């Protein structure tokens, strides 16, 4: 028996449960892409699947809507794969274990992929419908949004005739997103030298953090484990001598890092100093992040003596300098839109290899020159220390459109349905809308979605009642787009 078969809207939850059974992490989307193609074939709908595995499915207008302008519905099929440390789960092979509790849908110990599996479910439910009035639909499912909007960037927009687009990648019901930041991933490669050393092996782990989305939640004063680890290692260098063997934190540049681990070689008599400093800094960090990260923990685990290759003292000093100076968090608030983050960055991936330190930072801004300036700052830091820097996955900002008939119509419909105003907002997170908006002349675009909490974390949960309300609103909007 399906877990979600008795929940409304039935078709939406049916398809959501089906895609949760298919591995679909970023970079692993062939299987779900083929699933969408098979859906189109089974429903005798025209489709296109491109070389990147992006899929477009076309559905004709229902009777009476033949002359209505075509509507594009768009979302991405990939999800962020994150899990609790104690959970064994292979995202490349296994589906998700769904849990329903207190009106929320989650996955056991892992991310749910409501971002943006709910868009796929909404799209398939509309394509499958026989009793919902709507204009001609072009339903676009893109890949690898979470790793730099790669699918949208490689998508051939000439496949689309519509110039009204509803993106389904929002996580807040009652909000209509109408603008977003642009972004880029900055990659720093800092060469290091290693030397042979002997000593007591000590594992340092910064954990217990909330984490979250580096765009939607960067303003919430949440700590980054990568930043805290840098501060701890710097302070430790003034307390005792140690040699750094390993360092690793984070798996996605657009996720605020929840855990970071380091392996040190030390003299046995210095263990007590390390433990004392960890206790002190743990207390300080918890005080600094009271209300947002109250359970920050610094774990110190002592193992046996060992011989290993560790960083040369000069290389270790360069790594510490980088860690202490890499920018994180909100850099500037918007001067024109109240409470909007304009510019931010998140060093989401930190990895010490045998011959280099690699850091990938998500850089976001709604102002192109500010995005470039922040990227140049990281580039200067990297090159100053003898490293190399490159960018990838750049995507444009989605600029606010003063005249938007689609937005105005959706605001009017919401008011009529619920008797209250729809909140129209610009956001700091990146959306694929910016790419489509830049490449498709006269595109009128909005973004909506149900309430999804703690996205990109193992605590992610989807408000099931919100899914139903947004479905009812979406179908009412399509019903009213006859002109």
């Amino acid at each position: 028996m399906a877990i979600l078969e008795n929940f409304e809207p039935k078709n939406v939850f049916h398809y959501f449960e089906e895609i949760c059974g298919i591995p679909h992490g970023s970079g692993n989307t062939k299987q779900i892409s083929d699933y969408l193609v098979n859906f189109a074939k089974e429903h005798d709908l025209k489709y296109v699947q491109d070389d990147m595995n992006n899929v477009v499915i076309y559905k004709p207008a229902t009777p009476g809507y033949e002359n209505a302008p075509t509507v594009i519905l768009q979302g991405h099929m990939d999800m962020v794969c994150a899990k609790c440390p104690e959970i064994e789960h292979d995202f490349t092979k296994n589906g998700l274990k769904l849990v329903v509790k207190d009106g929320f849908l989650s996955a056991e110990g892992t991310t749910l992929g409501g971002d943006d599996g709910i868009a796929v479910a909404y799209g398939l439910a509309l394509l499958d419908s026989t009793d919902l009035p709507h204009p001609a639909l072009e339903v676009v499912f893109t890949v690898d949004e979470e790793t730099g909007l790669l699918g949208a960037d490689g998508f051939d927009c000439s496949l689309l005739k519509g110039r009204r687009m509803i993106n389904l990648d929002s996580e807040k019901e009652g909000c209509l997103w109408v603008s977003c930041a642009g972004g880029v991933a900055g990659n720093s490669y800092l060469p290091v030298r290693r030397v042979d050393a002997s000593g007591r092996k000590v594992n340092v782990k910064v954990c217990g953090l909330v984490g979250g989305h580096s765009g939607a939640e960067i303003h919430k004063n949440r700590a980054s484990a990568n930043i805290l680890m840098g501060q701890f290692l710097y302070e430790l260098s003034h307390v005792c001598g140690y040699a750094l063997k390993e360092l690793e934190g984070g798996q996605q540049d657009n996720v605020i890092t929840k855990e970071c681990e380091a392996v040190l070689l030390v003299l046995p008599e210095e263990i007590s100093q390390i433990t004392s400093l960890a206790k002190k800094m743990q207390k300080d960090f918890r005080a600094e992040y009271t209300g947002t990260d109250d359970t920050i923990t610094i774990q110190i685990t002592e193992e046996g003596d060992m011989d290993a290759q560790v960083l040369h003292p000069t290389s270790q000093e360069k790594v510490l300098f980088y860690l202490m100076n890499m920018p994180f968090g909100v850099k500037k608030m918007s001067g024109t839109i109240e409470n909007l983050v304009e510019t931010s960055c998140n060093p989401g991936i930190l990895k010490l290899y045998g011959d280099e330190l690699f850091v990938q930072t998500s850089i976001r801004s709604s102002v192109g020159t500010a995005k470039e300036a922040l990227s140049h700052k990281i580039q200067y830091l990297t090159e100053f220390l003898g490293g190399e820097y490159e960018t990838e996955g750049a995507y444009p900002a989605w600029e606010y459109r003063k005249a938007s008939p689609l937005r105005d119509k959706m605001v009017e419909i919401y008011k009529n349905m619920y008797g209250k105003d729809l909140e129209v907002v610009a956001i700091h997170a990146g959306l694929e809308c910016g790419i489509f908006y830049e490449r498709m002349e006269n595109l009128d675009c909005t973004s909506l979605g149900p309430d999804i909490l703690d996205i990109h974390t193992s605590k992610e949960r989807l408000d099931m009642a919100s899914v139903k309300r947004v479905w009812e609103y979406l179908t009412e909007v399509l019903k009213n787009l006859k002109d």
Side-chain angles (χ1 to χ4, degrees), residues 326 339 364 382 462 468 477:
M326 62 183 182
N339 297 323
R364 303 175 189 266
T382 304
L462 178 63
K468 183 175 185 292
V477 167

Side-chain angles (χ1 to χ4, degrees), residues 190-434:
L190 186 65
V192 298
R193 292 169 52 204
R194 289 187 179 261
V195 294
D196 294 327
S198 299
R200 184 67 51 84
K201 180 182 178 183
V202 172
N203 297 317
V204 181
K205 185 175 183 179
V206 177
C207 57
L209 283 71
V210 175
H213 191 292
S214 69
E217 294 166 319
I218 197 69
H219 63 292
K220 295 183 178 180
N221 194 41
R222 295 181 179 177
S224 163
N226 289 342
I227 296 295
L228 299 189
M229 178 64 83
Q231 293 176 9
F232 176 77
L233 293 177
Y234 172 77
E235 293 297 333
L236 186 61
S237 69
H238 291 82
V239 171
C240 67
Y242 68 86
L244 184 61
K245 179 179 181 290
E246 299 174 21
L247 178 64
E248 183 172 6
Q251 298 177 336
Q252 302 280 349
D253 73 311
N254 61 353
V255 177
I256 301 171
T257 310
K258 295 172 62 176
E259 295 187 357
C260 185
E261 299 185 59
V263 176
L264 315 177
L265 291 191
V266 304
L267 295 174
E269 57 267 28
E270 294 180 326
I271 300 294
S272 60
Q273 294 174 286
I274 298 173
T275 303
S276 296
L277 179 65
K279 289 181 179 178
K280 177 185 180 300
M281 294 192 71
Q282 175 179 294
K283 180 181 179 181
D284 292 343
F285 287 149
R286 289 183 177 183
E288 182 179 349
Y289 290 96
T290 297
T292 56
D293 274 296
D294 298 302
T295 58
I296 293 173
T297 302
I298 304 177
Q299 297 176 354
I300 305 297
T301 307
E302 180 184 354
E303 297 189 15
D305 294 334
M306 71 178 302
D307 299 326
Q309 284 219 317
V310 299
L311 291 189
H312 182 280
T314 302
S315 291
Q316 182 165 308
E317 194 65 31
K318 288 183 177 181
V319 167
L320 290 181
F321 188 90
Y322 187 98
L323 296 180
M324 286 297 291
N325 287 279
M326 62 183 182
F328 165 69
V330 176
K331 299 292 104 180
K332 185 177 182 296
M333 299 296 291
S334 172
T336 57
I337 301 177
E338 187 177 358
N339 297 323
L340 175 67
V341 177
E342 178 199 280
T343 306
S344 77
C345 65
N346 177 64
I349 302 175
L350 178 68
K351 175 68 175 178
L352 181 60
Y353 293 96
D355 59 354
E356 72 177 13
L357 174 72
F358 171 72
V359 183
Q360 185 172 73
T361 301
S362 174
I363 304 163
R364 303 175 189 266
S365 183
S366 52
V367 178
T369 53
K371 180 179 71 175
E372 290 179 8
L374 186 51
S375 179
H376 290 161
K377 180 177 183 178
I378 301 172
Q379 179 179 5
Y380 189 28
L381 170 63
T382 304
E383 294 177 348
F384 178 79
L385 295 171
E388 296 182 357
Y389 179 82
E390 66 179 14
T391 60
E392 64 177 69
Y395 56 92
W398 170 26
E399 297 181 3
Y400 177 77
R401 177 171 169 161
K402 292 183 178 180
S404 170
L406 176 61
R407 178 190 66 223
D408 296 343
K409 174 63 73 173
M410 293 180 72
V411 167
E412 176 188 338
I413 293 168
Y414 189 88
K415 180 76 170 182
N416 292 338
M417 288 182 69
Y418 300 109
K420 57 183 178 181
D421 292 333
L422 179 64
E423 187 178 0
V424 177
V425 297
I427 64 165
H428 185 59
L431 288 174
E432 293 159 300
C433 302

Side-chain angles (χ1 to χ4, degrees), residues 78-140:
D78 64 309
M79 64 174 283
V80 167
C81 297
K83 65 182 184 67
C84 295
E86 67 274 13
I87 295 292
E88 292 186 8
H89 185 87
D90 188 344
F91 283 101
T92 66
K93 299 178 181 178
N94 302 322
L96 307 176
K97 297 179 181 179
L98 299 181
V99 178
V100 177
K101 183 178 180 181
D102 299 329
F104 288 91
L105 177 63
S106 61
E108 188 176 308
T110 70
T111 41
L112 174 67
D115 175 17
D116 193 21
I118 195 60
V120 180
Y122 279 148
L124 293 179
L126 282 165
L127 292 167
D128 189 33
S129 67
T130 58
D131 58 346
L132 297 173
H134 59 74
L137 300 178
E138 298 173 331
V139 186
V140 183

